[in-house]
C-alpha cells in the first residue's frame, strides 16, 4: 500500500472555517505580514530516480498577504494566488480534504491523495488565530514511486502571520449642515 503524494516544493494543504467570536477577520480583507516561514525535512528513503533530495528551507518572511473572511472560511491572497480554507493547498491535483474541524480559534484539517497514487501524499495541518497572530503548523508525509525508486520523506512546516491593518471602516455619511436661519428683514431708512 502506497501513501498519497505531494510536490517537493511543499505547498501547504489547509482547510479552515471562520474565526470564533472575539477573533474576527473582516470580509473586506486585511493586511497580514508573514513573520515565519520554515520547512524541515526528514528523509526516510530517497532513491536515484526521485530527483533532488529535499532540503530544509526558510524564506518569504516580511511578505504581505491579504486575509479575508468568506462565508465561514478564510481566503489568503498572495500576489495572484488565492488559497481558501475550505480547500487543500497542495499542488498535487489528486490531494483531497478528508476532514476538517474547529475548536475555538484552532482549526485542523487532514488531506491525502487516494491510496495507490504513485505520488502519494498525506498531511495534517493546524491553524491557530490568537488576536493579531495567525500560526500554522503542518506535517506532510510523501510516499512516491518514481522511475523505479521509492521516495519517502516527511516535511514539517511552520508559518506565522501578524495583522498589519484591518480593513478600513465603512465611510460614514457626510454630515448634514445645520440649517441657517434666513436673514432678518431690513427696513428702509
Amino acid at each position: 500500500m502506497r501513501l498519497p503524494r505531494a510536490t517537493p516544493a511543499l505547498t501547504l494543504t489547509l482547510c479552515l472555517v471562520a474565526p470564533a467570536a472575539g477573533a474576527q477577520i473582516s470580509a473586506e480583507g486585511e493586511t497580514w505580514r508573514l513573520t515565519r516561514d520554515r520547512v524541515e525535512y526528514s528523509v526516510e528513503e530517497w532513491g536515484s530516480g526521485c530527483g533532488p533530495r529535499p532540503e530544509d528551507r526558510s524564506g518569504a518572511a516580511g511578505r504581505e498577504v491579504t486575509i479575508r473572511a468568506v462565508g465561514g472560511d478564510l481566503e489568503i491572497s498572495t500576489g495572484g494566488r488565492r488559497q481558501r480554507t475550505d480547500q487543500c493547498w497542495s499542488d498535487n491535483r489528486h490531494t483531497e480534504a478528508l476532514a476538517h474541524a474547529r475548536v475555538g480559534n484552532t482549526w485542523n484539517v487532514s488531506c491525502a491523495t487516494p491510496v495507490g497514487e504513485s505520488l502519494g501524499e498525506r498531511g495534517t495541518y493546524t491553524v491557530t488565530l490568537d488576536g493579531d497572530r495567525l500560526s500554522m503548523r503542518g506535517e506532510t508525509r510523501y510516499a512516491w514511486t518514481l522511475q523505479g525508486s521509492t521516495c519517502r520523506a516527511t516535511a514539517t512546516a511552520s508559518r506565522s502571520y501578524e495583522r498589519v491593518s484591518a480593513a478600513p471602516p465603512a465611510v460614514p455619511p457626510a454630515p448634514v449642515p445645520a440649517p441657517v436661519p434666513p436673514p432678518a428683514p431690513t427696513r428702509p431708512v
Side-chain angles (χ1 to χ4, degrees), residues 112-128:
T113 55
V115 173
E117 287 288 322
S118 64
L119 299 175
E121 173 182 336
R122 179 174 288 293
T124 57
Y125 309 92
T126 302
V127 174
T128 304

Side-chain angles (χ1 to χ4, degrees), residues 8 46 50-54:
W46 207 258
C50 298
R53 185 179 181 94

